[in-house]
Amino acid sequence: MFITGDSQVGVLRIWNVSRTTPIDNFKLKKTGFHCFHVVNSPPKKKFSVQSPNKNHYISSTSEAVPPPNLTQNQAFSLPPGHVVCCFLDGGVGLYDMGAKKWDFLRELGHVETIFDCKFKPDDPNVLATASFDGTIKVWDINTLTAVYTSPGNEGVIFALSWAPGDLNCIAGATSRNGAFIWDIQKGKIIQRFNEHGKNGIFYIAWSHKDSKRIATCSGDGFCIIRTVDGKLLHKYKHPAAVFGCDWSQNNKDMIATGCEDKNIRVFYVATSSNQPLKVFSGHTARVFHVKWSPLREGILCSGSDDGSVRIWDYTQDACVSTLNGHTAPVRGLMWNTEIPYLLISGSWDYTIKVWDTRGGVCLDTVYDHGADVYGLTCHPSRPFTMASCSRDSTVRLWSLIPLITPLQINILADRSWDEVIGNTDNAIRQDCPPLLCGKVSRDIKQEVEKLTCNPRAKKLRLFSECLSPPGGSDNLWNLVSVIKGQDDSLLPQNYCKGMMHLKHLIKFRTSEAQELTTIKMSKFGGGVGAPTKEKKLKEAAEIHLRLGQIQRYCELMVELGEWDKALSVAPGVSVKYWRKLMQRRADQLIQEDKDDVIPYCIATGDVKKLVNFFVSRGQLKEALLVAQAACEGNMQNAHVSTPKGASNSDDIHKEDFNELLHKVINELAEWYFQDGQAVLAACCHLAVDDIELAMAYLIRGNELELAVSVGTVLGEPAAPAMHYALQLLATKCMMIPMCFPSVVYRNLAADLLLMTPGSEVHLVKLCAFYPGCIEEINDLHKKCNLPPAEECTQLAETARADGNVFETIKYYLLSQEPEKALPIGIDFVKGCISNSNWTLDTVYPVLDLMSYIRTEKLLLHTCTEARNELLILCGYIGALLAIRRQYQSIVPSLYEYTSQLLKRRVVSVPLKIEHLSEELDAWRACTQSTKQSSEDSPYTPPSDSQRTVYETLLKRLKEEPLKGITGLDYVTGSNLPSHSDIHISCLTGLKIQGPVYFLEDGKSTISLNDALMWAKVNPFSPLGTGIRLNPF
């Protein structure tokens, strides 16, 4: 058996070598195949029908045997198989030949190099891309799907430019067909420009200050300015090919060009002269792109084949900075629209670099693209979300938020406007922390200052929408508004496209169905086709019917496969028999994994079966819709109750449906979460008013700033989780790399902790860890309402005399001799764990407090033994905490880390390697039994001794106090592929997928997910150096 694909209309044909005609045909798409590959179907997680004998049917005189499940060609049965399909329009999907349905389909995409990408001026959720494949595609970046494609056949499209405002047109530059304007709504080319003849046009720029002007530059050496209707305005001659041009955002009549002759030219289009106002020289190879700064008048940058980026000051006629670091020609260039010194560049060396142009410092380099990086873009209203495109034919979205951490925390801590928004002159000072200087931030300030009622909530929301990347933050804030009682009429139009609050779900979906009904007639299937069966059985059935023996007739029709005929007369026997027959039909359709099961389950009121069917297929949103409809009473119950017990029975069913609803919500949230979409997972829980779980998912996804913003607005129900998020943010500030004055971070950490009630212990940790001089330390003590360092020594000695271990450790850590705290705390912990009745909650607070000793003190040679013992104890207690928090991926690593330290370092602690190994084996055996093993790996039950060890462990652990915080962490992008930037985890030895975290040696790596979980249970690095982790 083999398959063939059609290159014209996307028909997949299945053949057998013994026949000259296909066994089956599948019309998959309107466009032809590019290529395909057959793969074995993965084992399906089938939903088990609630029936003791699900495949057994009694003989035809009582209960019929269903017909065998054959294809239309009865002699041939298709083996289970999937086809990975790639289409000529860039579509890609996985088709299940057995079920005759797509498991996954991405309708459109690019099949070649993507040269350019730009956000739509009036919509930050819409991105356009231009490709070598001759098309421009328009993408919805929230769903990551292409929603429009240009007509094509343009040769290579090198560049694109959106029309200003909401005109909904795109100008494209091609390799052989000149330039064009594409009207997206009309779906056609409405204008062409051929002034360059057959020469390739490398760049096109639609002026956003004067919407009538379009500039193009070409291999013919001309930069041409014309109006949108084709009237020639200027034709600027260059000595060689012109590769890039850019309109000034501060002067509508000024345009800069980049030329093969290594020079940058600036022209003034308001005059009739065709000579440049300025020529900038300095590059040693051709100049490709040029970009004016949107915030600093007269400043522009250029990227060259010499691998450098140069910054030019038009007013000084000079190059003011050269950025060296790329090892190949530079292509993509992008200024940030809020931070005036932030510049991003992309290169043929496959990297993207982020520059601080004040000192020419490279702040970060990313290697994820698998080929040359061409286009970079961001949208002014979402200035810290960037898109890039590459020869690897992908578009990638990036968050630049880590570059402005102190600024974001200033907003959360409700600092003054001066610490958030500034002017360009101040912001470009070398010692100035990041300040927002763009139009969007100024607009937010004006809007907030107009408000008299709850301006803080509005400020948090507006900044969150501005700073957060796409992927659910808008949806999250809409749900917060619903929970806070906002009028439904104020919800935005796109609310119904995301995760809706369940009180709106049925209403919106009903409205949607009514709208569809008015647009076109519903199409119903033609029923089940019945091929000819044995004539005797049919004759017998007809006789039974004429004799009034309806049940016999029905059973024979079932055996013949004519379910519709059987079901149409079954009520003539009884409603009970009809219902039973409907359920049998539903069971069969579920076994065959067919959508036809839906009306049968709904007609019989078997909500649970239908919900489980949808869940088993991964159709969680469908399951949610059915469960909510049942909760609202739109489904009849499967079991008819007696009149006497009617209300009681209805209550029981409502409870069942509510339980089912929450089960589906939890499944959907977990699916989003494990897909690296923590914000959408939180939306699922907010949709059912479960604020605690929503906050927990944000924290587990490391969306700490968003958790604090949302928690502040939601108030009391979100308070415990918000306080935990504030503590993690404070930890982040305490240990952040000191690229700005450490006092900035110190004060930020203190402000965050002071927002948390009962935060004295956390303030102690901050003061204990801060590495400043004695004057700075005492200033911090004063801010945190703690005694000066000199007094703390006396207070520690008093507490020690009173036998108060915790207070003794606390005050020694705050004193000028913090190392004195170590032996006292370590002896206390060793004493506790020597006792068989100890619990995690008795030792963890002491260990956690000791771990905040200043790093330079901990690393002293005189503290070697105490340091080793502290690291071992923190490793072991961390392993137990990881078990309690269900951090399965790092539990073995923590046990191994502790065992290795025990082997290699001279210590005296009441822990043995054999004991650790025994605990780990018991944990593995007992948690495997709760999860059950897969079919591939046989299940071995735990031994009695392992059960005993594990039960003892659980008694020590007790429950995690914060709801929903247990379970693995998954940050945004956890499942994204990486091309050239491949790292191996030093914990697992496996390739890391998603974000990577570098340890202190600059070489060893672990996944960011593992780093976050490790730092939450054991503050010290897996390398055993005594350096603290800070992955937050």
Side-chain angles (χ1 to χ4, degrees):
M1 204 172 282
F2 61 95
I3 65 172
T4 59
D6 191 296
S7 63
Q8 301 299 315
V9 289
V11 174
L12 191 72
R13 292 184 172 87
I14 299 180
W15 306 80
N16 187 287
V17 291
S18 63
R19 290 180 50 151
T20 57
T21 56
I23 297 169
D24 217 336
N25 299 297
F26 304 117
K27 177 73 182 294
L28 300 187
K29 259 173 79 77
K30 291 180 181 177
T31 50
F33 287 94
H34 176 65
C35 61
F36 57 76
H37 181 70
V38 180
V39 293
N40 289 329
S41 293
K44 280 208 168 181
K45 178 188 167 189
K46 282 281 186 185
F47 162 61
S48 58
V49 180
Q50 301 282 317
S51 165
N53 302 304
K54 62 183 179 183
N55 294 321
H56 177 70
Y57 294 88
I58 304 165
S59 73
S60 62
T61 53
S62 52
E63 248 184 49
V65 178
N69 185 20
L70 296 176
T71 63
Q72 58 189 6
N73 296 273
Q74 303 231 339
F76 296 92
S77 177
L78 292 182
H82 282 70
V83 188
V84 180
C85 304
C86 298
F87 296 94
L88 293 173
D89 63 0
V92 63
L94 183 66
Y95 188 75
D96 184 337
M97 290 188 290
K100 298 186 180 180
K101 65 183 181 67
W102 288 106
D103 278 1
F104 160 82
L105 176 65
R106 179 63 50 81
E107 286 281 0
L108 292 170
H110 287 297
V111 293
E112 275 287 1
T113 299
I114 304 173
F115 283 116
D116 200 8
C117 56
K118 296 281 193 311
F119 281 105
K120 193 170 189 290
D122 66 331
D123 190 345
N125 295 310
V126 175
L127 180 78
T129 52
S131 170
F132 188 97
D133 63 18
T135 65
I136 292 174
K137 287 185 167 57
V138 178
W139 305 78
D140 177 340
I141 63 168
N142 286 307
T143 58
L144 302 176
T145 53
V147 288
Y148 298 104
T149 183
S150 65
N153 298 318
E154 297 290 350
V156 178
I157 302 183
F158 286 122
L160 66 89
S161 184
W162 284 93
D166 59 356
L167 292 178
N168 220 23
C169 291
I170 295 176
T174 76
S175 60
R176 62 173 186 232
N177 290 341
F180 63 85
I181 297 176
W182 169 41
D183 186 311
I184 297 170
Q185 290 307 126
K186 292 179 181 175
K188 64 181 183 180
I189 306 299
I190 58 171
Q191 179 67 280
R192 284 197 179 273
F193 307 115
N194 297 305
E195 302 93 340
H196 295 284
K198 290 293 181 183
N199 293 288
I201 299 177
F202 296 115
Y203 203 76
I204 189 162
W206 201 321
S207 171
H208 282 220
K209 294 285 183 183
D210 183 345
S211 60
K212 292 179 181 177
R213 295 174 180 166
I214 296 179
T216 53
C217 46
S218 166
D220 62 5
F222 285 101
C223 174
I224 293 177
I225 318 288
R226 89 276 290 150
T227 61
V228 289
D229 55 9
K231 180 186 174 185
L232 188 69
L233 298 177
H234 285 282
K235 197 170 181 181
Y236 296 123
K237 175 69 176 167
H238 292 67
V242 190
F243 293 109
C245 62
D246 190 46
W247 293 99
S248 168
Q249 297 184 44
N250 296 301
N251 186 328
K252 71 182 179 69
D253 295 320
M254 202 171 278
I255 189 168
T257 62
C259 182
E260 192 168 16
D261 72 349
K262 310 172 191 175
N263 293 330
I264 297 98
R265 290 170 174 81
V266 178
F267 295 92
Y268 192 63
V269 300
T271 67
S272 58
S273 169
N274 284 334
Q275 294 303 307
L277 285 178
K278 298 276 174 77
V279 178
F280 295 113
S281 302
H283 282 295
T284 57
R286 67 176 172 178
V287 178
F288 216 86
H289 283 316
V290 288
K291 281 283 181 290
W292 290 96
S293 167
L295 299 174
R296 300 169 63 193
E297 192 165 356
I299 298 293
L300 72 155
C301 67
S302 57
S304 167
D305 280 12
D306 63 15
S308 73
V309 178
R310 287 179 176 254
I311 315 296
W312 310 87
D313 188 333
Y314 176 86
T315 60
Q316 294 182 26
D317 290 352
C319 173
V320 292
S321 183
T322 303
L323 310 176
N324 293 308
H326 285 297
T327 57
V330 177
R331 288 296 176 262
L333 289 172
M334 186 196 87
W335 289 99
N336 187 265
T337 57
E338 286 288 339
I339 307 291
Y341 54 79
L342 213 56
L343 178 67
I344 325 287
S345 61
S347 167
W348 279 6
D349 63 11
Y350 301 11
T351 70
I352 297 170
K353 288 184 180 289
V354 183
W355 304 91
D356 181 340
T357 59
R358 295 175 299 185
V361 177
C362 180
L363 300 176
D364 199 6
T365 304
V366 288
Y367 302 84
D368 289 64
H369 275 296
D372 315 342
V373 179
Y374 281 101
L376 301 171
T377 184
C378 74
H379 195 281
S381 65
R382 202 186 267 146
F384 298 101
T385 296
M386 179 186 79
S388 62
C389 60
S390 162
R391 186 166 56 84
D392 66 12
S393 77
T394 67
V395 175
R396 293 172 186 251
L397 297 176
W398 310 85
S399 173
L400 304 175
I401 286 297
L403 301 170
I404 58 158
T405 294
L407 193 152
Q408 195 178 19
I409 295 176
N410 279 342
I411 295 166
L412 296 179
D414 208 19
R415 293 283 189 89
S416 70
W417 284 111
D418 291 343
E419 295 180 72
V420 177
I421 294 174
N423 61 51
T424 303
D425 291 340
N426 286 334
I428 59 172
R429 289 201 333 262
Q430 190 68 44
D431 59 344
C432 182
L435 292 172
L436 301 175
C437 303
K439 180 179 183 301
V440 174
S441 54
R442 291 197 302 273
D443 289 347
I444 290 174
K445 182 183 177 186
Q446 284 180 4
E447 190 169 340
V448 171
E449 286 178 336
K450 287 178 194 170
L451 297 173
T452 53
C453 177
N454 203 3
R456 177 154 162 70
K458 186 69 173 178
K459 178 180 177 182
L460 287 171
R461 173 165 188 168
L462 290 173
F463 273 117
S464 175
E465 290 172 345
C466 169
L467 302 180
S468 296
S473 57
D474 290 349
N475 194 170
L476 188 76
W477 281 108
N478 289 334
L479 287 165
V480 169
S481 299
V482 172
I483 290 171
K484 295 299 287 181
Q486 178 182 290
D487 192 291
D488 289 354
S489 63
L490 298 175
L491 289 168
Q493 276 187 317
N494 64 356
Y495 168 64
C496 59
K497 292 181 181 177
M499 190 75 202
M500 285 180 280
H501 194 281
L502 288 198
K503 73 178 184 179
H504 296 135
L505 183 63
I506 301 301
K507 181 175 77 174
F508 272 98
R509 289 291 179 253
T510 304
S511 171
E512 185 183 346
Q514 288 168 347
E515 191 178 324
L516 287 169
T517 307
T518 60
I519 294 169
K520 59 182 179 182
M521 292 294 288
S522 297
K523 293 183 180 178
F524 294 95
V528 179
T532 307
K533 301 289 183 180
E534 296 174 35
K535 287 183 180 179
K536 285 184 181 178
L537 278 179
K538 240 182 183 176
E539 287 171 12
E542 294 297 329
I543 293 168
H544 282 305
L545 187 62
R546 283 158 179 74
L547 292 172
Q549 294 168 346
I550 301 173
Q551 185 168 350
R552 290 287 182 88
Y553 170 80
C554 291
E555 295 297 338
L556 286 168
M557 287 294 103
V558 167
E559 190 160 346
L560 290 166
E562 298 195 23
W563 284 92
D564 289 354
K565 288 184 179 179
L567 289 165
S568 66
V569 299
V573 180
S574 69
V575 173
K576 184 178 179 182
Y577 175 70
W578 169 81
R579 190 185 294 277
K580 182 181 176 186
L581 203 59
M582 290 281 282
Q583 289 171 342
R584 283 167 54 195
R585 179 59 170 151
D587 290 350
Q588 187 196 12
L589 289 168
I590 284 174
Q591 292 302 312
E592 294 172 7
D593 197 26
K594 290 184 176 174
D595 288 335
D596 296 346
V597 71
I598 298 166
Y600 293 94
C601 288
I602 289 174
T604 56
D606 203 338
V607 175
K608 191 169 185 180
K609 183 180 289 182
L610 184 55
V611 166
N612 285 334
F613 171 68
F614 279 135
V615 169
S616 72
R617 299 177 77 187
Q619 293 176 281
L620 298 175
K621 289 188 176 178
E622 299 292 321
L624 182 63
L625 190 59
V626 171
Q628 179 63 17
C631 285
E632 293 188 16
N634 293 352
M635 305 276 185
Q636 68 173 74
N637 295 332
H639 308 289
V640 181
S641 55
T642 58
K644 187 178 177 183
S647 63
N648 185 40
S649 175
D650 286 347
D651 289 343
I652 291 168
H653 279 299
K654 190 157 188 183
E655 281 180 27
D656 286 347
F657 293 152
N658 270 321
E659 188 179 327
L660 201 58
L661 179 70
H662 281 86
K663 176 191 166 190
V664 176
I665 277 288
N666 289 337
E667 289 253 10
L668 185 58
E670 195 59 26
W671 183 87
Y672 276 128
F673 186 65
Q674 292 190 22
D675 195 41
Q677 300 184 72
V679 179
L680 286 176
C683 288
C684 292
H685 290 295
L686 283 185
V688 290
D689 295 327
D690 196 334
I691 291 171
E692 289 176 288
L693 272 182
M695 292 290 290
Y697 271 94
L698 289 175
I699 291 169
R700 287 173 57 201
N702 204 38
E703 300 285 350
L704 301 179
E705 291 85 357
L706 195 52
V708 171
S709 297
V710 167
T712 303
V713 176
L714 288 172
E716 189 57 35
M722 187 187 79
H723 296 154
Y724 180 51
L726 282 167
Q727 290 161 22
L728 293 176
L729 272 179
T731 305
K732 175 180 182 174
C733 289
M734 287 160 60
M735 294 178 289
I736 213 152
M738 300 301 175
C739 50
F740 297 105
S742 58
V743 175
V744 172
Y745 290 101
R746 178 198 79 181
N747 290 338
L748 275 176
D751 286 346
L752 291 173
L753 292 173
L754 288 167
M755 291 164 66
T756 311
S759 59
E760 187 196 350
V761 172
H762 298 289
L763 291 166
V764 167
K765 293 173 187 175
L766 167 63
C767 294
F769 188 74
Y770 183 66
C773 65
I774 189 64
E775 290 80 9
E776 288 179 349
I777 288 171
N778 280 333
D779 282 347
L780 184 58
H781 282 217
K782 186 176 180 181
K783 183 178 178 71
C784 298
N785 300 314
L786 293 168
E790 298 81 6
E791 284 181 32
C792 288
T793 305
Q794 184 58 48
L795 290 166
E797 288 166 1
T798 305
R800 190 173 188 181
D802 293 341
N804 190 328
V805 175
F806 191 84
E807 291 292 302
T808 305
I809 295 166
K810 180 176 89 173
Y811 284 118
Y812 269 135
L813 287 175
L814 292 171
S815 74
Q816 292 172 281
E817 299 176 289
E819 60 273 21
K820 286 187 175 179
L822 290 178
I824 299 166
I826 289 168
D827 286 345
F828 171 78
V829 173
K830 288 196 292 190
C832 286
I833 63 176
S834 299
N835 185 332
S836 60
N837 297 326
W838 69 278
T839 64
L840 194 58
D841 293 338
T842 56
V843 298
Y844 176 66
V846 172
L847 265 183
D848 183 44
L849 183 61
M850 280 195 299
S851 73
Y852 282 88
I853 183 172
R854 282 193 279 284
T855 302
E856 73 270 17
K857 294 289 186 180
L858 184 62
L859 298 182
L860 288 173
H861 179 68
T862 52
C863 291
T864 300
E865 186 178 347
R867 178 175 69 248
N868 290 337
E869 291 185 350
L870 179 64
L871 295 183
I872 288 166
L873 292 170
C874 283
Y876 176 59
I877 297 303
L880 299 186
L881 267 173
I883 291 173
R884 181 161 91 175
R885 290 201 171 183
Q886 297 172 29
Y887 293 166
Q888 290 93 336
S889 65
I890 63 165
V891 169
S893 302
L894 281 159
Y895 271 107
E896 177 63 21
Y897 162 86
T898 309
S899 299
Q900 288 298 324
L901 289 177
L902 277 170
K903 270 184 197 173
R904 296 174 183 176
R905 305 197 181 175
V906 181
V907 289
S908 172
V909 292
L911 291 173
K912 289 191 168 61
I913 294 173
E914 301 77 27
H915 170 69
L916 297 180
S917 180
E918 189 181 74
E919 278 190 0
L920 180 58
D921 290 344
W923 170 77
R924 278 183 170 139
C926 294
T927 51
Q928 181 194 26
S929 71
T930 57
K931 289 181 280 187
Q932 291 300 329
S933 56
S934 66
E935 292 175 15
D936 300 332
S937 57
Y939 166 60
T940 308
S943 65
D944 290 343
S945 63
Q946 285 176 329
R947 288 184 198 279
T948 305
V949 170
Y950 188 60
E951 283 166 12
T952 306
L953 262 185
L954 292 182
K955 283 178 190 170
R956 281 195 194 129
L957 301 183
K958 301 195 174 173
E959 282 190 12
E960 179 62 39
L962 201 57
K963 181 186 173 185
I965 215 71
T966 56
L968 300 175
D969 285 0
Y970 283 99
V971 299
T972 301
S974 289
N975 292 329
L976 291 181
S978 176
H979 284 292
S980 53
D981 191 21
I982 295 172
H983 297 281
I984 304 299
S985 169
C986 66
L987 295 185
T988 64
L990 302 174
K991 177 184 169 183
I992 297 170
Q993 184 172 5
V996 171
Y997 182 77
F998 282 85
L999 299 178
E1000 64 271 20
D1001 63 357
K1003 297 179 292 184
S1004 304
T1005 57
I1006 57 178
S1007 76
L1008 180 56
N1009 292 329
D1010 284 349
L1012 287 164
M1013 292 184 284
W1014 185 290
K1016 288 174 186 175
V1017 297
N1018 175 14
F1020 295 111
S1021 162
L1023 298 182
T1025 57
I1027 303 293
R1028 288 183 67 99
L1029 282 187
N1030 182 27
F1032 304 106

